[in-house]
Amino acid sequence: MVKKNTCIFISGTGSNLNNLITKSRNYNFPINIKLVICDNRNALGILYAKKNSIPYLFINTKKRNFENIMMLNLRKHKISFICLAGYMKILSKKFLRSFGRKIINIHPSLLPKFKGLNTFSRIIKNEEVKTGCTVHFVNEKLDAGKIITKKSFFINRIDSEDLLKKKTQQLEYLAFPEAIVKIFRHINT
Ligand code: GRF
């Protein structure tokens, strides 16, 4: 199988990155992780890249030309697919257009509900019955691209924000790989 050269963008703990690294070791999983890009020098997730000898880059988004630096590096590593896994910076229209390939994101709610930040506190406040996660294509609008996969669970009345996050992340570890397989299921066939 010819796997897609993939870059994972992170900002934080990188548990989804770690999960995708494990999955990508499988011969039949359609991506190879060739690069990790991070906007936070102290992100714990970088350790997963180091541990697995995957090239990683800290790109300071305070620099005016940071997206140009990203593009150069994506080209250098022949990246044709991007997964945003807890990446907190919004990418510009210009960047999305100039990359011109598929970019996907994982979001901790059942989109279109609860776009943006602080999802868990809003979910509790709103007394939702169900929640979950969504993997979607990235377009120019925040958390609004075409949905690829959603996974849900029923909320317990006593669930705290922390517990909701934990339960949601357990589903993310299933949903993200599943979405990737779905996107590339016709690869080499
Ligand atoms: C995930 O819960 C994802 O839904 C959100 O950011 C979180 C990243 O977690 N976009 P991790 O860094 O993969 O552990």
Side-chain angles (χ1 to χ4, degrees):
M1 162 182 272
V2 181
K3 294 186 174 212
K4 291 274 167 194
N5 287 349
T6 300
C7 178
I8 314 286
F9 282 42
I10 61 164
S11 299
T13 49
S15 64
N16 280 285
L17 165 65
N18 189 32
N19 180 50
L20 292 178
I21 292 173
T22 307
K23 294 283 185 287
S24 68
R25 289 203 192 102
N26 184 323
Y27 175 80
N28 289 316
F29 196 67
I31 65 166
N32 255 338
I33 302 173
K34 295 286 190 183
L35 183 64
V36 171
I37 286 181
C38 183
D39 64 343
N40 167 9
R41 211 183 276 283
N42 302 316
L44 281 175
I46 289 177
L47 291 176
Y48 295 118
K50 282 189 188 165
K51 211 170 87 185
N52 290 281
S53 309
I54 297 169
Y56 60 91
L57 281 173
F58 162 71
I59 296 186
N60 185 351
T61 55
K62 290 197 178 88
K63 282 198 176 160
R64 214 164 36 95
N65 65 342
F66 79 93
E67 288 189 330
N68 295 340
I69 302 172
M70 274 177 184
M71 274 310 302
L72 282 175
N73 282 287
L74 293 169
R75 286 200 188 113
K76 186 171 141 199
H77 290 268
K78 300 191 166 52
I79 300 297
S80 59
F81 181 55
I82 293 175
C83 299
L84 307 182
Y87 186 66
M88 299 307 285
K89 179 86 191 165
I90 295 170
L91 299 166
S92 74
K93 270 184 206 173
K94 192 175 159 229
F95 176 85
L96 299 180
R97 284 190 197 149
S98 64
F99 181 63
R101 305 291 194 100
K102 291 184 174 77
I103 305 181
I104 65 171
N105 179 45
I106 187 146
H107 184 78
S109 77
L110 296 173
L111 290 174
K113 284 184 161 182
F114 305 104
K115 295 175 181 173
L117 295 175
N118 306 317
T119 45
F120 301 114
S121 59
R122 287 188 286 142
I123 287 164
I124 290 178
K125 209 168 157 194
N126 227 45
E127 299 184 347
E128 292 294 307
V129 176
K130 265 168 103 182
T131 188
C133 65
T134 307
V135 183
H136 65 93
F137 288 107
V138 174
N139 66 11
E140 291 159 10
K141 292 188 186 139
L142 180 68
D143 298 328
K146 188 173 173 232
I147 291 170
I148 307 156
T149 302
K150 277 198 221 191
K151 288 205 180 288
S152 66
F153 64 92
F154 284 101
I155 299 173
N156 225 316
R157 271 202 298 160
I158 53 166
D159 282 349
S160 61
E161 279 183 43
D162 268 1
L163 202 52
L164 280 189
K165 183 175 172 184
K166 277 195 191 121
K167 290 182 180 178
T168 303
Q169 284 207 316
Q170 289 308 314
L171 289 186
E172 289 183 350
Y173 306 147
L174 302 174
F176 221 169
E178 199 177 290
I180 293 169
V181 168
K182 201 166 161 187
I183 294 169
F184 296 116
R185 69 191 150 203
H186 301 306
I187 206 169
N188 304 331
T189 60

